[in-house]
Amino acid sequence: MYTLTNMYPTSLAFSNEELRGLLDLSKQYKATYGKDSTMPGTEAPKPLTGKSVSMIFQKRSTRTRVSTETGMNLLGGHALFLGPSDIQLGVNESMRDTANVLSRFNSIILARVYGHDDIVELSKHATVPIINALSDLHHPLQTLADLMALEDHFGDLKGKTLAWVGDGNNVLHDLMIGAAKLGMNVNVATPAGYEANSRIVDITKKLADENGGKVFLTAVADEAVTGSDVVVTDTWVSMGQEEEYAKRIEEFAGYEVNSSLMAKANDGAVFLHCLPRHPEEVTDEVFYSEQSLVFPEAENRMWTVMAVMAAQLGKA
């Protein structure tokens, strides 16, 4: 039986072996419950029967909600959505009290929040596993989906080079950690003033050294993409940053992923975007091309959150 550590606040929360186990379990679930499975749905295992997950959403998301609700159902459990109108985390009721109450009702608490401190506080007081479904500092579930998509396409990722082009945000933080753990090289291009968190960069460099990879930082998109096998970008304006839209669009000039930029990558290079995408970030020519893995990547959000939930509860 494969069991994951109870708390899942960041991709730093698990070892290389646990990362490997989660990816393998995700692929197993896709084979068992996916549309290409030959196993009738009525005969598929239901290891989370009688279990439930409360899903706290301070920030909306199509993929996180649908993947978690559907995935929990496939595993035999129940998912409960708690949006901003249902629960005001830390407002009408303290974080500590919310964690204690939900721990008495549910088997797992999944939270998609603004500040990472909310995840830390929930983890401190909950008596059931916590899943960080996104905070301003980390997005570990997205990293699992991305790495699964890349392994499905390439196989072993050791020695491959991943290029990030865009904002040094939460998605990048966990992706570079996960990529380094698998022995990938990580190239990061961010505009001045939008660099990744320096502490997380230092941790990534250490992980890269331990696993045979390298980390390269630049402010020039072409430099990051040249010689890469994977090109990744994300939104330039995250939820809560709408007032900065005009400023960010101007300062991210030259960071659009287009066919010219992709041509600087290695032959056979692929493109990732966690969605939703906006036209200034990537052209349709790239987004809908054969190089794009964005929709398998999105599908993998379900298989990977299923793996995390089952592993956390010792039901994998």
Side-chain angles (χ1 to χ4, degrees):
M1 181 178 291
Y2 173 65
T3 304
L4 181 68
T5 179
N6 272 355
M7 302 305 172
Y8 192 62
T10 79
S11 293
L12 293 170
F14 51 78
S15 66
N16 291 20
E17 292 71 25
E18 287 174 323
L19 173 58
R20 178 74 271 144
L22 285 173
L23 290 170
D24 290 345
L25 183 58
S26 300
K27 296 171 187 178
Q28 177 185 324
Y29 282 158
K30 181 178 180 179
T32 301
Y33 302 94
K35 292 183 178 179
D36 292 332
S37 173
T38 58
M39 181 182 296
T42 54
E43 297 179 13
K46 305 293 181 185
L48 297 191
T49 297
K51 304 297 183 180
S52 64
V53 55
S54 56
M55 306 186 302
I56 300 171
F57 276 63
Q58 289 182 343
K59 302 178 75 172
R60 65 185 181 273
S61 170
T62 300
R63 280 149 298 282
T64 302
R65 179 176 180 178
V66 176
S67 63
T68 306
E69 288 193 11
T70 305
M72 191 59 160
N73 177 265
L74 287 172
L75 293 174
H78 175 69
L80 176 67
F81 176 78
L82 300 172
S85 62
D86 303 307
I87 182 173
Q88 292 185 310
L89 199 61
V91 179
N92 289 339
E93 188 168 31
S94 71
M95 204 76 66
R96 181 175 184 173
D97 292 354
T98 297
N100 276 289
V101 169
L102 292 180
S103 293
R104 291 171 179 266
F105 292 138
N106 303 116
S107 313
I108 300 173
I109 300 171
L110 176 145
R112 182 178 170 90
V113 301
Y114 284 96
H116 189 70
D117 286 347
D118 287 350
I119 294 292
V120 174
E121 189 74 4
L122 284 171
S123 299
K124 180 179 177 181
H125 298 294
T127 57
V128 298
I130 297 290
I131 298 175
N132 177 4
L134 177 140
S135 69
D136 62 353
L137 195 60
H138 290 284
H139 197 353
L141 291 180
Q142 185 62 52
T143 287
L144 286 175
D146 292 353
L147 295 178
M148 180 179 173
L150 294 177
E151 285 196 343
D152 285 345
H153 183 81
F154 288 115
D156 186 10
L157 298 180
K158 189 173 182 63
K160 296 290 186 183
T161 297
L162 181 147
W164 175 274
V165 178
D167 192 14
N169 63 13
N170 50 0
V171 177
L172 169 61
H173 290 160
D174 281 86
L175 182 56
M176 62 183 181
I177 289 169
K181 287 184 175 185
L182 293 183
M184 299 185 75
N185 302 309
V186 179
N187 296 347
V188 177
T190 56
Y194 295 93
E195 295 86 356
N197 179 281
S198 59
R199 181 184 66 86
I200 297 174
V201 169
D202 288 342
I203 291 171
T204 301
K205 288 179 178 178
K206 183 175 183 295
L207 289 169
D209 286 342
E210 293 172 355
N211 295 285
K214 296 180 180 178
V215 177
F216 170 69
L217 306 178
T218 180
V220 181
D222 286 8
E223 292 181 356
V225 171
T226 299
S228 67
D229 303 291
V230 185
V231 179
V232 192
T233 194
D234 186 21
T235 182
W236 298 346
V237 186
S238 295
M239 215 175 298
Q241 298 173 336
E242 289 81 3
E243 293 183 359
E244 302 175 28
Y245 180 83
K247 175 176 179 285
R248 283 175 170 261
I249 293 302
E250 180 180 347
E251 293 181 344
F252 278 80
Y255 280 78
E256 178 191 62
V257 178
N258 50 41
S259 57
S260 177
L261 186 62
M262 289 296 295
K264 299 181 183 302
N266 290 337
D267 289 342
V270 298
F271 172 76
L272 295 179
H273 191 303
C274 68
L275 305 178
R277 57 82 69 140
H278 307 91
E280 64 268 15
E281 299 151 6
V282 54
T283 62
D284 282 357
E285 185 178 8
V286 172
F287 188 79
Y288 293 111
S289 71
E290 291 185 358
Q291 291 178 286
S292 176
L293 300 181
V294 294
F295 296 115
E297 175 188 10
E299 178 188 340
N300 290 345
R301 287 293 307 277
M302 184 168 74
W303 310 123
T304 50
V305 76
M306 289 169 66
V308 171
M309 292 189 295
Q312 283 183 320
L313 295 176
K315 299 293 184 178

